[in-house]
């Protein structure tokens, strides 16, 4: 067998069983892929994927066909009914590469698809000369899903969504959900979706078909209870919210994450929710439907307070979710919803219908299995949901993503979870470029397929980072993702902190107490002092609380610049201008955020004035101009993957930060 340490190619997810033999196999210059009609691949997509990769990697122009009269050097088949027990697992496949040719046999269409993706990865790395090997492989989780926020700032273009689905297919995902609050063009709700670049019914129909061809189930997901911030601020729907009196408050990224709950004590609320459900589900072929129903923070605190006092908040929540689930069940659909509220109020778990799946999100990098065990012991069906850890950040928090995903995958498998759904959120305007989530997405692919495939610890993480660099980024040095990880570790002052600092201003020069209550260092002051907290006091306290962290800025920016120096030739070599631009913009932006935090600390007297390059004092106006120029470059890069949607909100926040810096300089 080939020594694992000297192999210069990798497969992700790592197969369960692989034997690498002696020698190599050369692809013929005029070859053919034979795809059995029994696979059920009507458009012969799998054969065409292989032909396309062979052409792009080797320049060879292959043919594809079906039937016994057209033998191919690569053959794709469905397993016989008397196949082995392992081959009888849905999604399972065998791949054989030897001098007689290449054969992929799958238990079903998905199994053949999975085997084809493994072969594509080998072709992309080895070209026309492939290793002799035998693989027998099957997934640990039957459901391997990805959850993409398409509502809180970014609405992806349809073209980019298709590219993302292609990538999910390559790494053997079989489910995708798009998170929707207000960014779908529902009939009669134009006041809610206007100006958001909403997805349309035609977009969903086209994308649903595209995903189905790739073996990916596109599952509808729409907020029906919480996360109704935009809808509850409209003239037509505000009366359905818990706090309609707050509908005209200035827009706030932070308040959008907190105050968004439907008043389910109002009979009109159920009609509103079912209108969303009934119209949306008609556009999808799947029978699953995610009603979300998470983070209902204001439930029982506003318009529904009297009803909550009468029956209890848990009952109020469970009754409403139960009605929505029953409404779906009566139409032959299988409901899903996020499990955070039910887990905090375990009595709700006892009331769930049998066909409901709980989406059990656990995002802590040091997560335990406590909440996953709780759902399992209650007998409820669950899908475990870790995260790629990209929200509120220009650079992905790769260590946090790896720790979170690897842990939750193992816990879920031990507790009998039905699948894993890796989440990719866009809090605070979705500043995170979706391409930055690729390493986290691939972590999810690895651990949903083979949670026990890697040993624990830094060695396992570093090995996976190296494999991702090779497979995804064509990086022969295998250093690209590790350098991206090192760069992300230099984020001292982040987008979240900048937004918090800015939004402490309520728009009239006073302290926004709703925002202040989300910042831990301010909550005690708000609770224990009768006197109102002024804007200046709030910002002073916030920056003083960050004093130790802010001291790291000079060193962090030096390290970040070194990462930029080291990663530049790698990006030039791999020849992927899209990711090159995205990474450069993200790194430059983080340098500026760090400097902005440093300058604000100076302005609030947290430290003596000198900037990150140890010159005195900070040039606030020059920094303001740099932020504005960076923002223009960022906006251009945004359009590569996304509709205009809420880009203007990010721009306005950056401009406001620049104005604050200019004000400081006076």
């Amino acid at each position: 067998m080939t020594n694992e340490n000297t192999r210069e190619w990798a497969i992700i997810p790592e197969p369960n069983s692989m034997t690498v033999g002696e020698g190599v196999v050369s692809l013929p210059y005029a070859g053919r892929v034979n795809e059995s009609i029994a696979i059920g691949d009507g458009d012969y997509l799998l054969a065409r994927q292989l032909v396309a990769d062979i052409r792009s990697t080797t320049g060879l122009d292959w043919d594809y066909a079906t039937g016994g009269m057209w033998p191919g050097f690569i053959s794709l088949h469905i397993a016989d009914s008397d196949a082995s027990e392992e081959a009888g697992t849905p999604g399972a496949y065998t791949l054989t590469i030897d001098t007689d040719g290449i054969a992929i046999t799958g238990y079903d269409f998905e199994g053949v698809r999975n085997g084809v993706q493994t072969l594509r990865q080998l072709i992309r790395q080895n070209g026309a000369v492939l290793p002799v090997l035998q693989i027998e492989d099957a997934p640990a989780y039957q459901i391997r899903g990805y959850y993409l926020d398409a509502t809180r700032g970014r609405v992806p273009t349809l073209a980019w969504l298709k590219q993302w689905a292609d990538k999910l297919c390559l790494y053997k995902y079989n489910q995708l959900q798009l998170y929707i609050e207000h960014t779908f063009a529902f009939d009669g709700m134009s006041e809610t979706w206007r100006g958001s670049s909403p997805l349309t019914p035609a977009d969903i129909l086209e994308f649903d078909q595209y995903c189905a061809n790739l073996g990916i189930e596109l599952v509808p997901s729409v907020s029906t209870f919480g996360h109704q911030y935009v809808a509850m601020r409209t003239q037509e729907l505000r009366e359905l919210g818990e706090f309609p009196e707050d509908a005209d408050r200035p827009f706030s990224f932070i308040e959008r994450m907190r105050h968004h709950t439907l008043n389910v004590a109002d009979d009109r609320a159920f009609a509103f929710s079912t209108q969303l459900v009934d119209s949306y589900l008609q556009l999808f072929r799947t029978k699953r439907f995610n009603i979300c129903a998470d983070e209902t923070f204001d439930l029982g605190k506003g318009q529904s307070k009297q009803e909550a006092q009468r029956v209890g908040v848990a009952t109020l929540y469970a009754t409403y979710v139960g009605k929505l689930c029953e409404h779906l069940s009566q139409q032959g659909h299988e409901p899903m919803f996020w499990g955070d509220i039910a887990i905090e109020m375990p009595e709700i778990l006892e009331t769930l219908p049998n066909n409901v799946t709980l989406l059990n999100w656990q995002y802590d990098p040091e997560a335990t299995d406590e909440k996953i065990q709780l759902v399992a012991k209650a007998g409820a069906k669950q899908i475990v949901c870790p995260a790629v850890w990209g929200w509120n950040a220009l650079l992905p928090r790769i260590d946090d993503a790896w720790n979170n995903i690897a842990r939750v995958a193992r816990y879920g498998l031990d507790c009998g979870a039905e699948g894993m759904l890796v989440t990719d959120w866009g809090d605070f305007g979705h500043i995170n470029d979706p391409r930055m989530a690729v390493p986290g997405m691939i972590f999810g692919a690895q651990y949903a397929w083979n949670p026990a495939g890697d040993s624990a610890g830094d060695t396992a993480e570093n090995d996976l980072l190296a494999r991702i660099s090779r497979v995804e980024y064509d990086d022969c040095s295998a250093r690209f993702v590790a350098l991206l990880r090192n760069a992300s570790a230099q984020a001292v002052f982040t987008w979240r902190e900048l937004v918090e600092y800015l939004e402490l201003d309520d728009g009239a020069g006073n302290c926004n107490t709703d925002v202040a209550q989300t910042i831990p260092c301010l909550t005690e002051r708000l609770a224990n002092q009768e006197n109102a907290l002024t804007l200046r006091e709030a910002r002073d306290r916030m920056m003083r609380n960050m004093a130790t962290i802010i001291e790291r800025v000079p060193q962090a920016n030096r390290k970040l610049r070194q990462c930029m120096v080291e990663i530049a030739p790698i990006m030039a070599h791999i020849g992927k201008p899209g990711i090159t631009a995205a990474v450069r913009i993200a790194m430059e932006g983080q340098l500026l955020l760090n400097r902005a935090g440093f300058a604000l600390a100076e302005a609030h007297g947290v430290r003596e004035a000198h900037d990150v390059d140890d010159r005195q004092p900070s040039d606030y106006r020059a920094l303001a101009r740099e932020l504005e120029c960076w923002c223009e470059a960022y906006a251009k890069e945004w359009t590569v993957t996304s509709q205009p949607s809420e880009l203007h909100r990010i721009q306005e926040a950056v401009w406001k930060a620049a104005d604050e810096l200019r004000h400081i300089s006076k």
Side-chain angles (χ1 to χ4, degrees), residues 82 87 103 131 139 212 218 249 304 308 389 431 436 466 507 576 581 611:
D82 60 350
L218 186 65
R249 288 168 61 92
S304 69
W389 271 86
I431 190 78
M436 296 292 100
K576 294 179 180 287
D611 71 7

Side-chain angles (χ1 to χ4, degrees), residues 144-192:
R144 303 176 304 283
Y146 197 84
Y147 195 86
L148 179 64
D149 190 338
T151 208
R152 285 185 297 194
R154 278 184 196 266
V155 177
T157 65
L158 183 57
W160 187 83
L161 283 173
K162 290 179 178 179
Q163 292 177 36
W164 191 249
D166 289 338
K167 200 173 292 295
L168 294 178
C169 175
L170 181 65
Y171 294 106
K172 304 184 178 72
Y173 278 86
N174 62 5
Q175 188 183 107
L176 172 61
Q177 299 188 30
L178 303 179
Y179 175 52
I180 299 295
E181 291 176 7
H182 64 284
T183 52
F184 184 78
F186 289 104
D187 279 355
M189 293 183 62
S190 56
E191 189 187 4
T192 300

Side-chain angles (χ1 to χ4, degrees), residues 249 252 255 503-506 510-517 535:
R249 288 168 61 92
S252 163
E255 289 184 35
E503 291 196 357
L504 279 170
D505 185 344
D506 67 358
N510 302 311
C511 178
N512 184 328
T513 55
D514 270 0
V515 171
Q517 287 168 357
L535 175 60

Side-chain angles (χ1 to χ4, degrees), residues 13-217:
E14 187 177 32
N16 289 282
S17 173
M18 178 171 66
T19 302
V20 181
E22 297 292 338
V24 294
V25 174
S26 296
L27 298 178
Y29 65 85
R32 178 185 297 129
V33 179
N34 180 285
E35 180 176 349
S36 170
I37 197 169
I39 294 170
D41 178 17
D43 293 331
Y44 298 97
L45 172 69
L46 301 178
R48 290 189 289 111
Q49 284 182 330
L50 288 169
V51 168
D53 276 354
I54 290 169
R55 181 183 298 116
S56 65
T57 305
T58 71
L60 300 176
D61 194 9
W62 275 39
D63 191 14
Y64 65 92
T66 191
M69 301 297 291
W70 301 95
F73 190 79
I74 299 176
S75 60
L76 313 178
H77 298 283
I78 290 289
D80 295 332
S81 57
D82 60 350
S84 67
E85 184 176 343
E86 170 146 294
T89 302
Y93 71 93
T94 62
L95 166 62
T96 302
I97 302 176
D98 60 32
T99 53
D100 294 330
I102 301 172
I104 294 173
T105 303
Y107 169 78
D108 49 14
F109 166 79
E110 185 182 336
V112 179
R113 182 204 73 149
N114 293 335
V116 166
Q117 307 318 308
T118 296
L119 181 55
R120 291 176 68 201
Q121 291 184 20
L122 289 169
I123 291 169
R124 289 182 175 197
Q125 295 170 81
N126 294 282
V129 181
L130 302 177
V132 172
L133 56 73
Q134 172 78 22
I135 290 175
E136 293 185 8
D137 206 8
Y141 284 110
Q142 289 303 302
I143 295 174
R144 303 176 304 283
Y146 197 84
Y147 195 86
L148 179 64
D149 190 338
T151 208
R152 285 185 297 194
R154 278 184 196 266
V155 177
T157 65
L158 183 57
W160 187 83
L161 283 173
K162 290 179 178 179
Q163 292 177 36
W164 191 249
D166 289 338
K167 200 173 292 295
L168 294 178
C169 175
L170 181 65
Y171 294 106
K172 304 184 178 72
Y173 278 86
N174 62 5
Q175 188 183 107
L176 172 61
Q177 299 188 30
L178 303 179
Y179 175 52
I180 299 295
E181 291 176 7
H182 64 284
T183 52
F184 184 78
F186 289 104
D187 279 355
M189 293 183 62
S190 56
E191 189 187 4
T192 300
W193 50 253
R194 66 187 185 188
S196 69
S197 310
L199 292 166
T200 67
D203 292 330
I204 294 297
L205 291 172
E206 183 175 343
F207 190 49
D208 186 57
Q209 181 65 59
Y210 192 86
C211 288
N213 291 345
L214 293 170
I216 295 173
E217 177 188 22

Side-chain angles (χ1 to χ4, degrees), residues 37 51 125 217 222-223 228 245 258 262 285 391 446 465 478 530 535 579 597 634:
I37 197 169
V51 168
Q125 295 170 81
E217 177 188 22
V222 64
S223 288
Q228 294 288 348
E245 63 272 19
R258 291 174 57 82
L262 197 64
R285 66 191 64 205
W391 61 85
Q446 171 63 54
L465 298 188
E530 294 183 2
L535 175 60
I579 190 63
Y634 174 87

Side-chain angles (χ1 to χ4, degrees), residues 453-517:
D454 288 323
S455 59
D458 292 342
T459 300
E461 181 184 5
N462 291 335
D463 174 67
L464 185 50
L465 298 188
R467 286 193 281 137
I468 294 171
S469 295
R470 290 187 183 279
V471 177
E472 172 62 23
Y473 298 105
D474 304 327
D475 172 23
C476 294
S477 75
R479 298 180 62 226
F480 178 85
V481 184
L483 285 169
L484 190 61
R485 187 232 351 233
N486 295 346
S488 70
Q490 311 314 319
V492 177
F493 192 76
T494 69
W495 177 250
R496 180 188 181 98
E497 277 104 31
L498 180 63
V499 169
E500 288 174 341
Y501 181 91
L502 296 174
E503 291 196 357
L504 279 170
D505 185 344
D506 67 358
N510 302 311
C511 178
N512 184 328
T513 55
D514 270 0
V515 171
Q517 287 168 357

